[in-house]
Coordinates of all heavy atoms in Angstrom, one line a residue:
P1350 N 12.0 -37.4 -31.0 CA 12.4 -35.9 -31.0 C 11.1 -35.1 -31.1 O 10.2 -35.4 -31.8 CB 13.3 -35.8 -32.2 CG 13.9 -37.1 -32.4 CD 12.7 -38.1 -32.1
Q1351 N 11.1 -33.9 -30.4 CA 9.9 -33.1 -30.4 C 10.2 -31.6 -30.7 O 11.3 -31.1 -30.5 CB 9.4 -33.1 -28.9 CG 9.1 -34.5 -28.3 CD 7.8 -35.1 -28.9 OE1 7.1 -34.5 -29.6 NE2 7.6 -36.4 -28.5
A1352 N 9.2 -31.0 -31.3 CA 9.3 -29.6 -31.6 C 9.2 -28.8 -30.3 O 8.2 -29.0 -29.6 CB 8.3 -29.1 -32.6
V1353 N 10.2 -28.0 -30.0 CA 10.1 -27.2 -28.7 C 10.0 -25.7 -28.9 O 10.3 -25.2 -30.0 CB 11.4 -27.5 -27.8 CG1 11.5 -29.0 -27.4 CG2 12.7 -27.2 -28.6
N1354 N 9.5 -25.1 -27.8 CA 9.3 -23.6 -27.8 C 8.4 -23.1 -28.9 O 8.6 -22.0 -29.4 CB 10.7 -22.9 -27.9 CG 11.7 -23.4 -26.8 OD1 11.3 -23.7 -25.7 ND2 13.0 -23.5 -27.2
V1355 N 7.4 -23.9 -29.2 CA 6.3 -23.5 -30.1 C 5.0 -23.8 -29.5 O 4.9 -24.8 -28.7 CB 6.4 -24.1 -31.5 CG1 7.6 -23.6 -32.3 CG2 6.5 -25.6 -31.4
N1356 N 4.0 -23.1 -29.8 CA 2.7 -23.2 -29.1 C 1.7 -24.1 -29.9 O 1.4 -23.7 -31.1 CB 2.1 -21.9 -28.8 CG 2.8 -21.1 -27.7 OD1 3.3 -21.7 -26.8 ND2 2.9 -19.8 -27.9
F1357 N 1.2 -25.2 -29.3 CA 0.1 -26.0 -29.9 C -1.2 -25.4 -29.4 O -1.4 -25.3 -28.2 CB 0.3 -27.4 -29.5 CG 1.5 -28.1 -30.0 CD1 2.7 -27.9 -29.4 CD2 1.4 -29.0 -31.1 CE1 3.9 -28.6 -29.9 CE2 2.5 -29.7 -31.5 CZ 3.8 -29.5 -30.9
I1371 N -1.3 -26.2 -35.3 CA -0.1 -25.5 -35.2 C 0.5 -25.4 -36.6 O 0.4 -26.3 -37.4 CB 0.9 -26.2 -34.2 CG1 2.2 -25.4 -34.1 CG2 1.2 -27.6 -34.7 CD1 3.2 -25.9 -33.0
K1372 N 1.2 -24.3 -36.8 CA 1.9 -24.1 -38.1 C 3.1 -23.2 -37.8 O 3.0 -22.0 -37.6 CB 1.0 -23.5 -39.2 CG 1.7 -23.3 -40.5 CD 0.8 -22.7 -41.6 CE 1.4 -22.7 -43.0 NZ 0.6 -22.0 -44.0
E1373 N 4.3 -23.8 -37.8 CA 5.5 -23.1 -37.5 C 6.6 -23.6 -38.4 O 6.7 -24.8 -38.8 CB 5.9 -23.4 -36.1 CG 5.0 -22.8 -35.0 CD 5.1 -21.3 -34.9 OE1 6.0 -20.7 -35.5 OE2 4.2 -20.7 -34.2
E1374 N 7.5 -22.7 -38.8 CA 8.6 -23.0 -39.7 C 9.9 -22.7 -38.9 O 9.9 -21.9 -38.0 CB 8.6 -22.2 -41.0 CG 7.4 -22.5 -41.8 CD 7.3 -21.7 -43.1 OE1 8.1 -20.7 -43.2 OE2 6.6 -22.0 -44.0
D1375 N 11.0 -23.3 -39.3 CA 12.4 -23.1 -38.8 C 12.3 -23.2 -37.3 O 12.6 -22.3 -36.5 CB 12.9 -21.7 -39.2 CG 12.9 -21.5 -40.7 OD1 13.1 -22.5 -41.4 OD2 12.8 -20.3 -41.1
I1376 N 12.0 -24.4 -36.8 CA 11.8 -24.7 -35.4 C 13.0 -25.5 -34.9 O 13.7 -26.2 -35.6 CB 10.5 -25.4 -35.1 CG1 10.5 -26.7 -35.9 CG2 9.3 -24.6 -35.5 CD1 9.3 -27.6 -35.7
D1377 N 13.2 -25.5 -33.5 CA 14.2 -26.4 -32.9 C 13.5 -27.7 -32.6 O 12.4 -27.8 -32.2 CB 14.6 -25.7 -31.6 CG 15.5 -24.5 -31.8 OD1 16.1 -24.4 -32.9 OD2 15.6 -23.7 -30.9
I1378 N 14.3 -28.8 -32.8 CA 13.8 -30.1 -32.5 C 14.7 -30.7 -31.4 O 16.0 -30.7 -31.5 CB 13.9 -31.1 -33.7 CG1 13.2 -30.4 -34.9 CG2 13.4 -32.4 -33.4 CD1 11.7 -30.2 -34.7
Y1379 N 14.1 -31.1 -30.3 CA 14.8 -31.6 -29.1 C 14.7 -33.1 -28.9 O 13.6 -33.6 -29.0 CB 14.2 -30.8 -27.9 CG 15.1 -31.0 -26.6 CD1 16.2 -30.2 -26.4 CD2 14.7 -31.9 -25.6 CE1 16.9 -30.3 -25.2 CE2 15.5 -32.0 -24.5 CZ 16.6 -31.2 -24.3 OH 17.3 -31.3 -23.1
I1386 N 19.5 -30.4 -28.4 CA 18.9 -30.0 -29.7 C 19.5 -30.8 -30.8 O 20.7 -30.8 -31.0 CB 19.1 -28.5 -29.9 CG1 18.3 -27.7 -28.9 CG2 18.7 -28.1 -31.3 CD1 16.8 -27.7 -29.1
V1387 N 18.7 -31.5 -31.6 CA 19.2 -32.3 -32.7 C 19.0 -31.5 -34.1 O 19.8 -31.8 -35.0 CB 18.5 -33.6 -32.8 CG1 19.0 -34.5 -31.7 CG2 17.0 -33.5 -32.8
Y1388 N 18.1 -30.6 -34.1 CA 17.9 -29.7 -35.3 C 17.6 -28.3 -34.8 O 16.8 -28.1 -33.9 CB 16.8 -30.2 -36.2 CG 17.1 -31.5 -36.9 CD1 16.4 -32.6 -36.4 CD2 18.0 -31.7 -37.9 CE1 16.6 -33.9 -37.0 CE2 18.2 -32.9 -38.5 CZ 17.5 -34.0 -38.1 OH 17.7 -35.2 -38.6
T1389 N 18.3 -27.3 -35.4 CA 18.1 -25.9 -35.0 C 17.3 -25.2 -36.1 O 16.9 -25.8 -37.1 CB 19.4 -25.2 -34.8 OG1 20.1 -25.1 -36.1 CG2 20.3 -25.9 -33.9
K1390 N 17.0 -24.0 -35.9 CA 16.2 -23.2 -36.9 C 16.9 -23.1 -38.2 O 16.3 -23.0 -39.3 CB 16.0 -21.8 -36.3 CG 15.1 -21.8 -35.1 CD 15.0 -20.4 -34.5 CE 14.1 -20.4 -33.2 NZ 14.0 -19.0 -32.6
D1391 N 18.2 -23.2 -38.2 CA 19.0 -23.2 -39.4 C 18.8 -24.4 -40.3 O 19.2 -24.4 -41.5 CB 20.5 -23.0 -39.1 CG 20.8 -21.7 -38.5 OD1 20.0 -20.7 -38.7 OD2 21.8 -21.6 -37.7
D1392 N 18.3 -25.5 -39.7 CA 18.0 -26.7 -40.4 C 16.6 -26.7 -41.1 O 16.3 -27.6 -41.9 CB 18.1 -27.9 -39.5 CG 19.5 -28.1 -39.0 OD1 20.4 -28.2 -39.8 OD2 19.6 -28.2 -37.7
H1393 N 15.9 -25.6 -40.9 CA 14.6 -25.3 -41.6 C 13.6 -26.5 -41.5 O 13.0 -26.9 -42.4 CB 14.9 -25.1 -43.1 CG 15.8 -23.9 -43.3 ND1 15.6 -22.7 -42.9 CD2 17.1 -23.9 -43.9 CE1 16.6 -21.9 -43.2 NE2 17.5 -22.6 -43.8
K1394 N 13.4 -27.0 -40.2 CA 12.4 -27.9 -39.9 C 11.1 -27.2 -39.7 O 11.1 -26.1 -39.2 CB 12.8 -28.8 -38.7 CG 14.0 -29.6 -38.9 CD 13.8 -30.7 -40.0 CE 15.1 -31.5 -40.2 NZ 14.9 -32.6 -41.2
D1395 N 10.0 -27.9 -40.0 CA 8.7 -27.2 -39.7 C 7.7 -28.2 -39.1 O 8.0 -29.4 -39.0 CB 8.1 -26.6 -41.0 CG 7.9 -27.7 -42.1 OD1 7.9 -28.9 -41.8 OD2 7.9 -27.3 -43.3
I1396 N 6.6 -27.7 -38.7 CA 5.5 -28.5 -38.1 C 4.2 -27.9 -38.5 O 4.0 -26.7 -38.5 CB 5.7 -28.6 -36.6 CG1 4.6 -29.5 -36.0 CG2 5.6 -27.2 -35.9 CD1 4.8 -29.8 -34.5
F1397 N 3.3 -28.9 -38.9 CA 1.9 -28.4 -39.3 C 0.9 -29.5 -38.8 O 1.0 -30.7 -39.1 CB 1.8 -28.3 -40.8 CG 0.4 -27.9 -41.2 CD1 -0.1 -26.7 -41.0 CD2 -0.4 -28.9 -41.8 CE1 -1.4 -26.4 -41.5 CE2 -1.7 -28.6 -42.2 CZ -2.2 -27.3 -42.0
P1411 N 6.6 -36.3 -38.1 CA 8.0 -36.2 -38.3 C 8.7 -35.5 -37.1 O 9.8 -35.9 -36.7 CB 8.2 -35.4 -39.6 CG 7.0 -35.6 -40.3 CD 5.9 -35.7 -39.3
N1412 N 8.1 -34.5 -36.5 CA 8.8 -33.7 -35.4 C 7.9 -33.7 -34.1 O 8.1 -32.7 -33.3 CB 9.1 -32.3 -35.9 CG 10.0 -32.3 -37.1 OD1 11.0 -33.1 -37.2 ND2 9.7 -31.5 -38.1
F1413 N 7.1 -34.7 -33.9 CA 6.2 -34.7 -32.7 C 5.7 -36.1 -32.5 O 5.5 -36.8 -33.5 CB 5.1 -33.7 -32.8 CG 4.2 -33.8 -34.0 CD1 3.1 -34.6 -33.9 CD2 4.5 -33.2 -35.2 CE1 2.3 -34.8 -35.0 CE2 3.7 -33.4 -36.3 CZ 2.5 -34.2 -36.2
F1436 N 6.3 -27.7 -25.6 CA 7.3 -28.6 -25.1 C 8.6 -27.7 -24.9 O 8.9 -26.8 -25.7 CB 7.6 -29.7 -26.1 CG 6.4 -30.6 -26.3 CD1 6.1 -31.0 -27.6 CD2 5.6 -31.0 -25.3 CE1 5.0 -31.8 -27.9 CE2 4.5 -31.8 -25.5 CZ 4.2 -32.2 -26.8

Side-chain angles (χ1 to χ4, degrees):
Q1351 307 284 353
V1353 293
N1354 303 327
V1355 291
N1356 290 322
F1357 294 79
I1371 183 173
K1372 183 179 181 181
E1373 296 285 350
E1374 299 178 344
D1375 300 333
I1376 58 177
D1377 290 335
I1378 307 297
Y1379 192 83
I1386 292 287
V1387 289
Y1388 295 106
T1389 68
K1390 296 176 181 179
D1391 294 334
D1392 294 309
H1393 304 298
K1394 297 293 182 179
D1395 57 22
I1396 182 172
F1397 176 76
N1412 300 317
F1413 56 91
F1436 299 135

